Amino acid sequence: MIEVMEQTELYLGAEITRGPAWSTERRQSARKRFRELGVPHGRQESWRFTNPRKITALEAVPAAAEGVANLTAERVAEYLLPDTAWSLVFDNGIFRADLSSRDGMPEGVHIEPLASGEPAELGDIENSHAFTTLNDAMWTDGVSVRVDDGVVVEGLIQFIFTGDGDGGTPAVHTRNLIKLGAGAKLNLVESYRGRGVYWTNAVTDVDLGENAELTHFFQQLESEQACHTSRFRVTQSPASTLNTHNLLIGGDLARRDIDIALVGEGAHAGIDGLYVVHDTQLSDMHITVDHAVPECTSEQYIKGILDNKSRGVFCGRVIVAQDAQKTDARQTNRNLLLSDDAHVNTMPQLEIYADDVKCAHGATTGQLDRDALFYLQSRGVDEVAARDLLLFAFANELIDRLPSEGIREHAEAFLEHRFHSARQLGE
Amino acid sequence: MTMLEVKDLHASVAGTKILKGLDLTIQPGEIHCIMGPNGSGKSTLSRVLAGHEDYEVNDGLVTYRGMSLLDMEAHERAREGYFLAFQYPVEIPGVSGMQFLRASVNAIRKHHGLEELDAMDLMGVFREKAKLVDLDLNSLKRSVNEGFSGGEKKRNEMFQMAVLEPRMCVLDEIDSGLDIDALKIVANTVNTMRSPERSTLIITHYQRLLEYIVPDYVHVMFDGRIVKSGGKELAHKLEAEGYGWIEQNEQMVV
């Protein structure tokens, strides 16, 4: 185990100059701030139930700027969703133009790798969330998307980020920037895949203009030896709509932070999440929805299926500012524990400073319904198949809400495979 | 071959003895009815015979078509044609009636070495059976029993029975809470399915279902045992005089 100080320097690496020149100054402030914040540890409130030791124990080093060229077209084909129209592929944080497909992108959509594109406005560096600050300092690449006012993009755009632990344990810091103009519409998939031991630390910032609509599918299917931390920050203008669907399956430790700022009246944020974990996996979702202005709506619908000794953490925070009257905020977290050793910590937090609001939250943790199991068995379905059917039923509510048929089929197939291989291990 | 033979069955739940030496023999083609006051162990009998894990069999033998029923898992019993219509059909949110029946039909077919049926083939079967119980096929798209009324749930049970065509049908308090029309649907299903190869056991508190189904034998259950057996006239006597005389008789015996 290396010292905390050394760990901080390990994460920052030796090189001061990394990435495009326009980002240098910002990186330097971020390095300074990261040194002050230090590497997170389990005694910090925000990491109370998710000890980051699994991340630090990896002793991951910044992914080499030149990258490794292990990713093949065959693997990319496996990662592509059936209805993807355009894709941008990154291997250990390095853009792979040869594996990407950007042809025929509609007019008014500006999409490019962040590191080699136009200088981008990344905002202030993160002040308190150390891994985001580290990302500010160390990002290698990612996608910058700008959609002009009124442009509706019908096809699906998929970002694929792969981690590869072949030849070292890389820390892959990915940075994405998505900006939708007024009335623009976009369907986006963020896929995180990989093999072996590595650490993904991604930040995606979204800015939705007035009446803009983003449908977002986040697929965290990392290697089960890897660690994953990601941050999704969204700022919503009046009457804009965000629907983000999060499927969280991989990673030995995976933490996803979602921060939504509803700063324009009449905006809506829908946040779906499904985490499915087994063995000693830990999946953490921290969601904050900030209702800063009146008449916005938000719905968090998060479900978890936990087997073996796995752990789940859900922290859902809703803040309703004093002026944010007529807010309608809902939050649900349901967990299904398949083993006596599985464990979940669920923490709904409502901070309401306005008086004319509708806020509802509910959290449940239970086991498979034994009566339903017996009912199925009494109709000839064996116990394993009956359990599978009930698991699918639990997950299906969220699968059904996925934005397209192709995405639904892919998610179903993945879950089927996952439950099936989990069974084989158990036998 | 005898359809079902229960010999000296003792069973308990959570340490409490419920069945205390129950005997019952049902031949193919027969319809039997077990009646008894609340708490006599009627529903326990139906659950033990269906293989519910919460019930512990302490003693006795149950032979179903030459097989030792108690040695079979619940799903194996079902695959061999044993069917229980539940007193309280279970709601399964997220599983449609269609998925449920498909899983059931194909599990049973596979067990008998038959090819699995696809959605199209199944719809053909369902369409035919739906007429028998006056079921709206669209309701199969909904989650199993979720949001259905008590009567509709019992109708769903009858539909499942009609589709699965079991050898041994056990109806546990199927008549409780049913109006006359729903009662007639249950009776019509049982009567239509009556055949020399199939047996039916109706478990009930009331006699009124027997106005529409004529049983071959009526048994009275009390304190975990069959204490009296007879023909359909026994049901009329119970209807007219209640269970009091049985209880008195039993207490005198004790």
Side-chain angles (χ1 to χ4, degrees):
Chain A
M1 196 71 191
I2 58 174
E3 295 298 319
V4 174
M5 187 72 157
E6 280 177 49
Q7 186 96 49
T8 309
E9 292 310 316
L10 178 77
Y11 284 164
L12 290 172
E15 49 178 325
I16 308 293
T17 50
R18 192 180 174 94
W22 59 263
S23 68
T24 305
E25 204 176 315
R26 207 173 164 281
R27 287 174 191 275
Q28 279 172 353
S29 323
R31 292 175 77 88
K32 184 168 169 284
R33 185 60 189 146
F34 181 69
R35 285 197 177 100
E36 289 161 9
L37 289 170
V39 176
H41 53 76
R43 293 181 304 283
Q44 289 165 334
E45 179 59 28
S46 142
W47 291 93
R48 191 150 67 100
F49 295 107
T50 304
N51 196 318
R53 206 184 297 126
K54 275 186 177 176
I55 303 173
T56 50
L58 294 183
E59 297 181 1
V61 295
E66 66 276 13
V68 284
N70 285 337
L71 189 59
T72 58
E74 287 73 30
R75 270 171 65 211
V76 172
E78 187 192 318
Y79 299 159
L80 282 170
L81 290 174
D83 32 16
T84 293
W86 302 283
S87 59
L88 285 95
V89 180
F90 296 78
D91 188 16
N92 273 353
I94 304 301
F95 181 56
R96 290 286 299 268
D98 56 322
L99 298 173
S100 303
S101 127
R102 285 185 288 168
D103 295 344
M105 196 78 78
E107 200 132 317
V109 183
H110 313 279
I111 188 161
E112 56 191 4
L114 188 63
S116 51
E118 300 271 307
E121 182 49 66
L122 293 177
D124 295 338
I125 59 158
E126 169 65 43
N127 200 36
S128 59
H129 193 302
F131 286 150
T132 303
T133 314
L134 180 63
N135 181 288
D136 281 329
M138 300 301 293
W139 62 267
T140 48
D141 211 345
V143 188
S144 162
V145 190
R146 278 181 300 118
V147 183
D148 291 346
D149 289 358
V151 173
V152 173
V153 188
E154 297 289 351
L156 190 66
I157 302 181
Q158 184 177 6
F159 304 167
I160 297 175
F161 303 101
T162 64
D164 193 335
D166 191 17
T169 303
V172 184
H173 303 283
T174 293
R175 186 69 175 235
N176 303 304
L177 196 59
I178 297 150
K179 203 168 159 53
L180 268 59
K185 276 190 190 177
L186 187 68
N187 300 306
L188 190 69
V189 178
E190 256 187 273
S191 303
Y192 290 82
R193 309 290 298 246
R195 55 181 194 183
V197 186
Y198 57 92
W199 173 33
T200 297
N201 179 41
V203 175
T204 298
D205 286 322
V206 178
D207 184 351
L208 298 183
E210 203 163 328
N211 282 306
E213 197 177 321
L214 176 66
T215 302
H216 176 243
F217 177 46
F218 179 87
Q219 237 189 353
Q220 188 274 92
L221 307 176
E222 304 274 26
S223 141
E224 285 183 28
Q225 289 103 56
C227 285
H228 173 101
T229 47
S230 62
R231 189 100 186 267
F232 186 60
R233 296 186 293 201
V234 185
T235 306
Q236 294 190 234
S237 300
S240 61
T241 302
L242 164 75
N243 280 304
T244 176
H245 305 264
N246 298 267
L247 183 63
L248 313 170
I249 291 187
D252 186 25
L253 180 152
R255 171 167 170 162
R256 177 138 180 87
D257 282 70
I258 295 177
D259 299 80
I260 313 284
L262 298 166
V263 296
E265 289 186 22
H268 171 76
I271 304 147
D272 279 3
L274 176 64
Y275 44 90
V276 182
V277 283
H278 67 155
D279 290 342
T280 58
Q281 282 184 290
L282 184 151
S283 184
D284 177 335
M285 264 193 118
H286 268 67
I287 301 174
T288 302
V289 180
D290 189 355
H291 283 260
V293 295
E295 295 186 30
C296 290
T297 54
S298 67
E299 188 191 5
Q300 303 173 38
Y301 200 83
I302 313 299
K303 280 185 159 187
I305 299 176
L306 301 101
D307 202 355
N308 312 122
K309 293 181 173 174
S310 63
R311 297 199 40 209
V313 177
F314 171 73
C315 180
R317 200 166 154 221
V318 175
I319 306 164
V320 182
Q322 199 169 354
D323 294 336
Q325 304 295 1
K326 309 279 183 202
T327 286
D328 189 339
R330 290 162 201 283
Q331 180 192 83
T332 308
N333 175 226
R334 296 198 194 293
N335 296 289
L336 190 55
L337 303 182
L338 302 180
S339 111
D340 291 341
D341 299 321
H343 187 79
V344 84
N345 291 96
T346 174
M347 291 157 286
Q349 298 175 353
L350 303 182
E351 295 169 33
I352 302 168
Y353 304 101
D355 47 24
D356 183 15
V357 300
K358 272 194 241 170
C359 288
H361 73 91
T364 58
T365 298
Q367 289 163 337
L368 279 180
D369 182 353
R370 293 186 40 173
D371 288 336
L373 273 178
F374 177 62
Y375 194 42
L376 280 159
Q377 288 170 272
S378 79
R379 296 296 180 258
V381 181
D382 65 60
E383 191 181 345
V384 172
R387 280 169 66 94
D388 277 2
L389 201 58
L390 294 180
L391 284 181
F392 271 113
F394 183 83
N396 240 336
E397 202 182 352
L398 286 168
I399 303 280
D400 272 350
R401 286 152 63 127
L402 289 173
S404 80
E405 190 56 38
I407 289 178
R408 275 193 291 278
E409 276 171 20
H410 191 266
E412 264 171 28
F414 205 90
L415 284 177
E416 200 164 331
H417 172 75
R418 174 57 184 278
F419 292 143
H420 184 71
S421 32
R423 271 204 310 281
Q424 304 237 304
L425 287 171
E427 274 161 10
Chain B
M1 196 188 329
T2 300
M3 183 65 78
L4 186 73
E5 187 172 28
V6 182
K7 270 190 185 163
D8 194 30
L9 185 62
H10 292 254
S12 55
V13 62
T16 307
K17 286 183 180 165
I18 310 280
L19 300 184
K20 302 170 182 174
L22 187 133
D23 296 292
L24 178 69
T25 303
I26 300 175
Q27 298 299 339
E30 293 176 353
I31 296 185
H32 287 237
C33 177
I34 291 182
M35 302 181 73
N38 288 331
S40 56
K42 301 191 299 291
S43 287
T44 296
L45 175 65
S46 78
R47 283 175 213 160
V48 167
L49 293 182
H52 198 297
E53 283 183 356
D54 285 354
Y55 296 83
E56 195 189 338
V57 175
N58 309 109
D59 205 359
L61 271 178
V62 181
T63 310
Y64 166 63
R65 295 176 60 224
M67 297 171 279
S68 174
L69 190 75
L70 300 176
D71 292 329
M72 296 159 75
E73 302 265 352
H75 70 269
E76 293 170 334
R77 300 178 196 198
R79 290 177 186 182
E80 288 294 342
Y82 186 95
F83 181 90
L84 169 66
F86 282 54
Q87 180 180 3
Y88 302 110
V90 183
E91 297 185 2
I92 313 182
V95 176
S96 73
M98 193 73 185
Q99 288 172 311
F100 180 88
L101 273 165
R102 187 176 181 173
S104 173
V105 168
N106 283 333
I108 293 171
R109 288 183 66 89
K110 209 172 156 192
H111 175 74
H112 293 286
L114 299 168
E115 251 180 68
E116 296 189 14
L117 296 181
D118 64 18
M120 283 280 277
D121 297 335
L122 281 170
M123 272 318 278
V125 176
F126 293 167
R127 205 166 286 126
E128 182 201 335
K129 303 295 183 185
K131 283 183 217 148
L132 182 61
V133 298
D134 195 22
L135 182 99
D136 176 7
L137 281 175
N138 279 320
S139 72
L140 293 176
K141 291 177 190 159
R142 290 166 56 188
S143 289
V144 176
N145 288 321
E146 195 184 37
F148 287 84
S149 72
E152 287 168 333
K153 286 179 184 174
K154 298 294 172 73
R155 189 205 308 257
N156 292 343
E157 293 292 283
M158 289 299 95
F159 179 65
Q160 289 175 20
M161 188 168 93
V163 168
L164 299 179
E165 298 184 326
R167 295 284 192 123
M168 178 75 228
C169 308
V170 180
L171 280 55
D172 185 11
E173 308 255 0
I174 193 88
D175 49 346
S176 62
L178 290 196
D179 60 24
I180 288 293
D181 289 338
L183 214 55
K184 282 181 180 167
I185 285 172
V186 170
N188 184 38
T189 311
V190 172
N191 291 331
T192 307
M193 289 180 71
R194 192 166 196 166
S195 97
E197 288 87 40
R198 178 174 294 124
S199 308
T200 302
L201 174 62
I202 296 165
I203 295 172
T204 181
H205 185 83
Y206 304 103
Q207 187 265 342
R208 60 184 192 133
L209 181 59
L210 304 187
E211 287 169 26
Y212 307 99
I213 302 172
V214 182
D216 298 301
Y217 297 94
V218 173
H219 310 276
V220 181
M221 191 164 173
F222 184 77
D223 195 24
R225 290 182 300 125
I226 303 286
V227 295
K228 197 162 182 62
S229 297
K232 61 178 188 285
E233 68 288 343
L234 185 54
H236 294 300
K237 185 173 163 68
L238 287 168
E239 181 72 2
E241 302 178 21
Y243 289 107
W245 60 279
I246 299 278
E247 292 179 28
Q248 273 167 18
N249 275 359
E250 280 303 300
Q251 276 156 9
M252 279 166 65
V253 171
V254 171

